Amino acid sequence: MDNSNSKNSNNDNNSNNDRNSLIVPSVSISSSSATPSKKSYSKGLRPTEYSKGLVQEHIVKLTQDVYKNFTEYTKEELKATIEDCKLLETMNISTKDKYSQLNQMSQHLMKEISKLQTIYADFSGFIQQIEEINEQTIQMENTAKALDEYSRYLESKLMKII
């Protein structure tokens, strides 16, 4: 293995270590020159490696920003969903309480209706007697009218005779 290959592998290992230490997934950029240069640079990076590093740094920064923004967005969406669920839970409890009150009121009304039906059943015998008395009263009135007419007839005959 020659010197330039070992430098490239060291640079790749360093960049891999840097990328692996991040939480975000790594993005690999393929360089335009797949074969190592025959020139040997003893100090610093070659221009293509320098621009490659800048591009990688920029991509890592953008990836971190996207990851951060996505995380914040997801957290806010989850908070909104939790608040919606809490609101629904409160509405369900309120509705349950209202229906419970309506149930109690309807049970109370059923008891009152049952009492009224019992009272009506008790009074139905008295109502029947009142209707019979009313019919007898009407018959007595008719009889009294007939007697009154007959007594007038007899009085008028008696007045003719006297």
Side-chain angles (χ1 to χ4, degrees):
M1 199 177 199
D2 68 325
N3 236 358
S4 63
N5 282 342
S6 66
K7 283 183 183 178
N8 283 340
S9 65
N10 284 340
N11 284 339
D12 288 340
N13 285 339
N14 287 340
S15 64
N16 282 338
N17 288 340
D18 290 341
R19 278 187 263 139
N20 289 338
S21 67
L22 297 175
I23 296 174
V24 295
S26 64
V27 177
S28 65
I29 305 291
S30 63
S31 67
S32 61
S33 63
T35 61
S37 168
K38 293 194 178 189
K39 293 182 182 179
S40 172
Y41 290 98
S42 61
K43 295 183 181 178
L45 297 174
R46 284 178 261 158
T48 57
E49 290 176 348
Y50 179 73
S51 64
K52 179 180 174 184
L54 287 177
V55 170
Q56 285 180 340
E57 287 175 13
H58 183 68
I59 290 174
V60 167
K61 171 83 169 92
L62 290 176
T63 306
Q64 288 172 340
D65 288 346
V66 167
Y67 181 76
K68 181 180 136 194
N69 290 339
F70 179 74
T71 303
E72 288 175 13
Y73 174 78
T74 305
K75 284 179 184 178
E76 293 303 318
E77 283 294 318
L78 287 174
K79 284 180 186 177
T81 303
I82 288 170
E83 288 174 7
D84 288 347
C85 288
K86 286 180 181 178
L87 177 64
L88 283 173
E89 183 179 7
T90 304
M91 290 171 61
N92 282 342
I93 290 170
S94 176
T95 303
K96 181 183 123 190
D97 292 343
K98 186 66 175 178
Y99 278 113
S100 177
Q101 290 173 356
L102 289 174
N103 185 22
Q104 290 174 354
M105 188 172 21
S106 67
Q107 287 177 353
H108 178 72
L109 287 173
M110 292 298 290
K111 288 178 185 176
E112 292 299 318
I113 288 173
S114 176
K115 286 180 185 177
L116 288 174
Q117 287 174 341
T118 304
I119 291 171
Y120 179 77
D122 291 344
F123 280 116
S124 68
F126 295 122
I127 292 172
Q128 184 81 22
Q129 289 176 356
I130 291 171
E131 287 176 3
E132 289 174 6
I133 291 171
N134 187 29
E135 288 176 14
Q136 290 174 359
T137 305
I138 291 172
Q139 287 176 359
M140 286 174 63
E141 284 178 10
N142 290 338
T143 305
K145 285 180 186 178
L147 283 174
D148 190 40
E149 286 179 21
Y150 186 69
S151 65
R152 284 187 198 152
Y153 171 74
L154 288 178
E155 189 179 331
S156 70
K157 268 192 166 191
L158 186 61
M159 290 292 206
K160 285 184 188 177
I161 299 182
I162 319 188

